[in-house]
Amino acid sequence: MFDKILIANRGEIALRILRAAKELGISTVAVHSTADADAMHVKLADESVCIGPPPARSSYLNIPALLAACEITGAEALHPGYGFLAENARFAEILADHHIVFIGPKAEHIRLMGDKIAAKATVQRLGIPCVPGSPGPVTNENEAGAVARAIGYPVLVKAAAGGGGRGMKVARTPDDLPAALEMARTEAKAAFGDGSVYLEKFLEKPRHIEVQILGDGRGKAIHLGERDCSLQRRHQKVWEESPSPALNPSQRAEIGEICAAAMRKLGYSGAGTIEFLYEESRFYFIEMNTRIQVEHPVTEMVTGLDLVNEQIRIAAGSPLTLTQDDVSFHGHAIECRINAEHAATFRPSPGKIAYYHPPGGLGVRVDSAVYAGYTIPSNYDSLVAKLIVHGRTRNEALMRLRRSLDEFIVDGIDTTIPLFQTLVRNADVQNGVYDIHWLEKFLASGGMSEDAL
Amino acid sequence: MKHPESKPESVPGEAAIDTGLVETLGELVTRLGLSEIEIERGDLRVRVVRQLSAPVQAVVPVAAPPPPQAAPRPQEPAPVSEAPGTVKSPMVGTAYLRPSPESSPFVEIGSRVKAGEKVLLVEAMKTFNEILAPHDGTVTAILVEDGQPVEYGQPLLVIE
């Protein structure tokens, strides 16, 4: 087991990693930009190193600074969290060259899944169902038109180097296709430096359902159930729950085993999530995330497993703690991502938190790095806290969520708590009847207007 | 930069505080209009000083050994660190005061330097980066030791 881990991230996930490391008796090194000198995880870590000025590229993305910080502290392993360098294959390789263990999957798998076209081809070979689409990038209009005719309109033009919902354009009819191709290519080139695009069938009202897996890197892998993350705004998840209201236990077991089997064949190491669109009882692979995800607590509440603990153990060479038969699912969990934004306009609201009271009680978990007097820096994401509730049933979880949201005080900045207070009282949400377009439609039709609130 | 703390051990032989004695002394000082009183009794010396507001008690164990120090913490930033002329580290690494182990240091307290002169090295991953004097002046403080780990923004020396 490691003696010392360097936490290469910030905010709530850095605190999350610190907690898991401490519980394993591992020393912690917090690296931070000058803007994060007062961060909670910096206060709690055994050692800290300031690695640069506020901009991420000079600090949290600064590979030489991170390596130097490992060197001067003697950290033998590094946890990248999510975002930043978590899915940077080159970074994983550089760490390996310097004999520092990257707490994450093998670099080759990060690279494989980062290329959305190659990822799709690979998982198809591994038995995972995919969205019908072009076998590779489309280079000209004729080719695109032929593929689109074959898979049937509407079609989606997607950036090969994209992901996370970015770089996608819909073409509903053959007439729309040339413009969609052009726009997607231009955006892709600007955003990702790579204008390659591919085509997929556009699903009208799918749900976003993802499966959590763990692999030991030596051919064993298990699944830990699914999360339904359909409630999204601008392709950003805001509310996640497990199990999905749309699946029954046998569907869960089936898709879970398909994913676990694929990961066994791949020899995947660490935590990962396989994301699907689900429509009319069919699963369609969209992408795989080779890292711990923001919404991992939802799975932890339902399975009782500490996923960051598992990541650290796997990286240290231990076998998986559980076999598939040992994994059991209890009750229902829901997570709300509370951001420092106005709940109706989503205008960012960085600033000082004057008063902070998080909710508590049975089945209530708050993953947050903020505290009274803390100033949210404006340089990074606006996540204030993740509120996660667990109940024996979905209804109990919903009541608990409603109660905890009403108890949650964050004074001094705007937060999206009112959005969740509205959602938890909404009939569609309460019935679990929603798809990936539901939230945008709800907001567009005035769900958070002054009259409605 | 935060370093790992070692816990200070409890002080052996620390005398239990005789609060009755202290109160008596405080009362004496006040009643007799004294400004301070000090008595020694065995291992214990007690001095009570009367301030304008309230008596301030200072208990000084005479014979007890000094408490063991926590492991020396290389540099809390000294107050002089924010003085104008402070040169801060532009990177994470290990600071060296001399070009090689056998050489003399680049500068010493009192050294006069010109802008652009080498004053320090910061090494990371076997690459040595020269720290140059940003302006002419005299070195009035050296805030790091030879071979000390430094972080971004850490004060290295002061050139006035």
Side-chain angles (χ1 to χ4, degrees), chain A residues 440-452:
Chain A
E440 292 274 13
K441 287 191 189 136
F442 173 77
L443 294 169
S445 64
M448 288 299 290
S449 70
E450 290 302 318
D451 316 322

Side-chain angles (χ1 to χ4, degrees), chain A residues 189-259:
Chain A
K189 184 101 186 111
F192 312 114
D194 176 355
S196 310
V197 296
Y198 63 110
L199 255 50
E200 273 186 355
K201 178 160 188 53
F202 180 71
L203 300 170
E204 291 287 357
K205 288 164 73 76
R207 301 184 79 111
H208 174 117
I209 298 183
E210 57 191 38
V211 175
Q212 177 72 54
I213 57 95
L214 281 177
D216 71 356
R218 295 187 290 273
K220 288 198 164 66
I222 60 175
H223 76 86
L224 298 176
E226 83 284 8
R227 294 182 290 260
D228 191 318
C229 311
S230 305
L231 290 171
Q232 301 178 12
R233 178 182 171 265
R234 299 195 179 170
H235 303 291
Q236 297 301 301
K237 300 165 184 171
V238 306
W239 164 307
E240 305 104 348
E241 55 181 303
S242 179
S244 168
L247 298 188
N248 62 42
S250 82
Q251 286 174 303
R252 167 170 317 110
E254 189 187 342
I255 194 64
E257 178 49 31
I258 287 171
C259 291

Side-chain angles (χ1 to χ4, degrees), chain A residues 42-43 45-53 67-69 71-72, chain B residues 1-5 92-94 123-126 149-152:
Chain A
V42 172
K43 293 180 196 289
D46 297 303
E47 300 176 64
S48 72
V49 182
C50 180
I51 52 172
L67 283 170
E71 193 177 67
I72 65 173
Chain B
M1 189 167 170
K2 192 159 49 138
H3 298 272
E5 289 181 30
V92 179
T94 304
E123 175 261 328
M125 293 170 295
K126 312 291 178 273
V150 293
E151 62 183 356
Y152 173 85

